Amino acid sequence: MRKKQNLETVASSGYLLLEVLLALSILSIVVVMVFQIIQTTLRVTSEINFLQTQQRKVDGIYELLRRNFVSMPETSLFKTRNQNGSTELVFRYAPFNFSWAKTGAKFGTVVISSRPQADGRFALSILEESGNALESYVDSGIERKSDWVPLISDVDQLTWRFYNSSTGKWTSDWPDTAVKPNLVEINIKLAGRNHMERGVFRWPIAQTGS
């Protein structure tokens, strides 16, 4: 009789140990699943925040450019040129409103161009030169990297186009300072994004440079 009770006790202990191991296994699976859910949620949230930040950067730059093109004085001159493989937008007799940086001079020559970064990407940058600049980058090609102020960085691709209503065509350059384009288009692809962001800005009228 006692031997039978001992066997039942051993069997009960075995079942109890098996139940504990099974419970631990289930708990481990649940913990791993919860951890994976939290990790996925954090990653998705981080990606959404990154994309929202990138979108805000693009929206801010487009609004900055739009305000400047709309308010550009009729007396200003405009042309583009290719410099070191990049398209530069050159504004003569223009106000210094293209960046948020504080400058001493308020009027002169403004250059907008993509500038290379160390990681192979670009930064849409601006150069502002007062009318009495001793060493003009535009006229002499003398350049100091510190003169450029980045407006938006981590750009993978950037293109410009200019619309002439008299011909009804878009062009990738604008060499004639006597006439301004009716529309200016910029396409930007930032790092981490799969599509180009397009912005179109206009001068209120087809202004002449004279």
Side-chain angles (χ1 to χ4, degrees):
M1 186 72 178
R2 183 176 300 176
K3 184 176 181 181
K4 183 177 180 181
Q5 290 178 347
N6 291 336
L7 291 175
E8 291 178 352
T9 303
V10 172
S12 300
S13 301
Y15 284 128
L16 180 61
L17 178 60
L18 183 62
E19 291 172 356
V20 171
L21 292 176
L22 181 60
L24 289 175
S25 299
I26 294 174
L27 180 62
S28 299
I29 293 173
V30 171
V31 170
V32 170
M33 291 177 63
V34 171
F35 178 77
Q36 289 178 342
I37 292 173
I38 294 175
Q39 192 176 38
T40 301
T41 302
L42 291 176
R43 184 177 69 251
V44 171
T45 302
S46 177
E47 291 175 353
I48 291 175
N49 290 337
F50 172 77
L51 293 176
Q52 289 177 341
T53 300
Q54 296 291 72
Q55 187 64 51
R56 284 195 294 268
K57 289 180 181 179
V58 172
D59 293 343
I61 290 299
Y62 283 5
E63 177 61 21
L64 179 67
L65 294 174
R66 185 195 65 78
R67 286 192 287 106
N68 276 276
F69 280 110
V70 169
S71 62
M72 186 64 60
E74 294 187 21
T75 54
S76 66
L77 302 179
F78 171 77
K79 71 172 185 177
T80 66
R81 67 177 189 175
N82 188 285
Q83 191 78 358
N84 299 323
S86 298
T87 298
E88 292 186 345
L89 280 64
V90 181
F91 302 82
R92 297 277 197 174
Y93 316 115
F96 288 176
N97 296 326
F98 278 94
S99 74
W100 299 280
K102 294 182 179 180
T103 57
K106 301 298 181 182
F107 209 80
T109 300
V110 178
V111 184
I112 301 177
S113 178
S114 57
R115 310 295 296 171
Q117 296 179 173
D119 59 3
R121 295 191 173 98
F122 301 92
L124 180 62
S125 303
I126 188 167
L127 174 68
E128 297 174 337
E129 291 184 335
S130 61
N132 59 355
L134 297 178
E135 295 181 333
S136 171
Y137 165 73
V138 175
D139 296 330
S140 66
I142 298 174
E143 178 181 1
R144 294 184 298 273
K145 292 183 179 181
S146 59
D147 293 338
W148 290 90
V149 177
L151 299 178
I152 184 170
S153 56
D154 296 328
V155 177
D156 279 339
Q157 298 179 38
L158 188 151
T159 59
W160 296 93
R161 291 201 309 168
F162 311 93
Y163 182 74
N164 188 340
S165 61
S166 62
T167 63
K169 295 181 179 180
W170 289 91
T171 61
S172 58
D173 62 343
W174 195 271
D176 186 6
T177 59
V179 180
K180 296 182 177 68
N182 303 93
L183 300 173
V184 177
E185 177 193 80
I186 181 175
N187 289 280
I188 293 179
K189 181 180 180 296
L190 294 182
R193 310 207 71 172
N194 297 323
H195 63 280
M196 301 283 285
E197 297 283 351
R198 179 176 182 262
V200 178
F201 321 103
R202 70 180 185 90
W203 268 291
I205 58 175
Q207 303 169 358
T208 61
S210 59

